[in-house]
Amino acid sequence: MQLSKLASGIKRGDRVALAKGITLVENEPGRASALLRGFGVPTRSFVLGVTGPPGTGKSTLVDRLIASYREKGLKVGVIAIDPTSPLTGGALLGDRIRMTAHSVDRRVYIRSMASRGWSGGLSRAAADAIRLMDAAGFDVVLLETVGIGQSDIEVVGVSHAVLVVLMPGLGDDVQVSKAGLMEVGDVYVVNKADLEGADTMVVSILSLFRGTLRSPPVLKVSALSGEGVEKLLGAVEGFRGRFVSGAEDMRLKSVRGMIVETARGAAMTRFAAVSERGADRLAKRVVRGELTIEAAAAKLAP
Ligand SMILES: Nc1nc2c(ncn2[C@@H]2O[C@H](COP(=O)(O)OP(=O)(O)OP(=O)(O)O)[C@@H](O)[C@H]2O)c(=O)[nH]1
Ligand SMILES: [Mg+2]
């Protein structure tokens, strides 16, 4: 499809055009950047990152958020980064099943992006997809990603606010602090509060922040029973309210994340091209004793 036609389709909010745009972003970053340039700086969509260890109930909460925003008449987009590791591979089907209630709703758009084979490039693709959703007139974009390690969590760097979803029995604080979840959250959710150990989990999260400059709220929630969900929705609405009234710090944070991910993605693309072109020739020179490995590496990536 012609880029200009695709662009006007996306601006009209056409779902097929949006789907094609996101596929372009995933497969052809070069053409996608030409498309994105035409849309200007994103201003419309409030982007909420939802991250946390596998199985803590992120998708269940996202489902609650979709329902709540649809009640307000807002247009909601969801980007779910599919965990493709064997550990969490079963989640995809679960996500699909839970969100089917919304899948027939024309004002909800749910898209999965696979993390396999992307490494740092996935964050760029997610940032680009958000820009497309912004252009397509979504009021809210929910960005769900499994936060196991730093690179998974990087993805939420483009959000205006981030929920970190935890649950009782995660095994003290190690998972939380090691994965880098401590730094990214604006609100910490201890989900599955209907299970035993929720209070202990709240206490251990609070203790992680003791002595630091941050004291984000820690909310006890049960996405299943609904307990605490109203309060969580209220907290999220607080962030959205600030965003809608033009909070500069939020806009800066998200745009900063987009710049960083776009640069990182471009560097990766460039490096992939460079390494394919130059490495064989450099290896010969190193073996002949003309170059050290360090000098050869510096030629590859100056
Ligand atoms: N008891 C209880 N179970 C819950 C609650 N919320 C979610 N679950 C269950 O926990 C399981 C995982 O929920 P998901 O919403 O798929 O969790 P997730 O964090 O999206 O999972 P991944 O995407 O695989 O990381 C499902 O079986 C849910 O039904 C809750 O509040 N209480
Ligand atoms: Mg999920």
Side-chain angles (χ1 to χ4, degrees):
M1 194 192 271
Q2 249 184 335
L3 278 190
S4 57
K5 220 176 134 198
L6 191 58
S8 57
I10 289 169
K11 277 192 202 151
R12 268 200 319 273
D14 178 73
R15 298 165 73 90
V16 176
L18 178 60
K20 282 191 176 152
I22 297 178
T23 302
L24 196 68
V25 146
E26 288 181 312
N27 300 331
E28 295 180 63
R31 283 187 76 208
S33 69
L35 176 69
L36 289 164
R37 264 197 299 274
F39 289 140
V41 185
T43 50
R44 168 140 191 180
S45 307
F46 168 64
V47 183
L48 180 73
V50 180
T51 190
T56 52
K58 298 178 291 297
S59 300
T60 314
L61 280 172
V62 162
D63 213 31
R64 292 256 181 199
L65 286 161
I66 296 173
S68 156
Y69 282 125
R70 289 301 297 121
E71 266 170 34
K72 293 186 204 296
L74 299 180
K75 199 172 155 186
V76 186
V78 179
I79 298 175
I81 308 293
D82 278 351
T84 45
S85 79
L87 187 69
T88 55
L92 180 56
L93 188 61
D95 285 352
R96 292 260 159 84
I97 289 168
R98 256 187 307 285
M99 289 178 186
T100 42
H102 302 289
S103 63
V104 289
D105 185 337
R106 305 299 291 173
R107 288 174 71 81
V108 177
Y109 183 87
I110 299 172
R111 173 74 177 230
S112 310
M113 297 178 89
S115 59
R116 182 179 291 143
W118 278 90
S119 61
L122 175 70
S123 301
R124 197 264 311 144
D128 289 356
I130 288 166
R131 291 170 68 185
L132 295 181
M133 288 189 169
D134 187 276
F138 284 86
D139 301 296
V140 177
V141 175
L142 305 170
L143 175 62
E144 179 188 335
T145 175
V146 178
I148 309 176
Q150 293 281 356
S151 64
D152 310 290
I153 293 166
E154 234 165 57
V155 177
V156 295
V158 298
S159 310
H160 296 110
V162 175
L163 300 184
V164 172
V165 184
L166 305 163
M167 65 181 187
L170 275 179
D172 58 40
D173 3 308
V174 181
Q175 273 207 63
V176 182
S177 47
K178 250 203 186 154
L181 289 168
M182 282 271 295
E183 287 77 27
V184 297
D186 294 296
V187 175
Y188 287 75
V189 179
V190 175
N191 188 36
K192 310 198 186 184
D194 52 293
L195 302 181
E196 225 166 280
D199 290 317
T200 315
M201 195 63 202
V202 170
V203 169
S204 68
I205 295 163
L206 288 173
S207 76
L208 285 173
F209 289 105
R210 204 163 299 134
T212 72
L213 291 172
R214 272 163 43 80
S215 56
V218 181
L219 303 179
K220 229 169 50 169
V221 164
S222 171
L224 269 195
S225 78
E227 178 201 338
V229 169
E230 275 305 312
K231 199 167 172 202
L232 173 62
L233 295 176
V236 173
E237 271 302 84
F239 286 106
R240 197 177 66 87
R242 282 194 55 223
F243 169 79
V244 169
S245 62
E248 200 189 12
D249 58 327
M250 289 176 128
R251 292 187 191 274
L252 285 172
K253 176 180 174 276
S254 169
V255 168
R256 180 190 186 283
M258 287 177 175
I259 295 169
V260 169
E261 296 315 333
T262 303
R264 205 198 306 272
M268 281 174 58
T269 307
R270 231 172 13 244
F271 182 72
V274 165
S275 63
E276 269 172 40
R277 244 187 284 124
D280 290 345
R281 189 173 43 80
L282 286 166
K284 284 183 189 149
R285 292 185 63 193
V286 170
V287 169
R288 282 202 298 267
E290 295 169 12
L291 278 179
T292 62
I293 287 181
E294 284 70 20
K299 279 185 184 299
L300 211 51

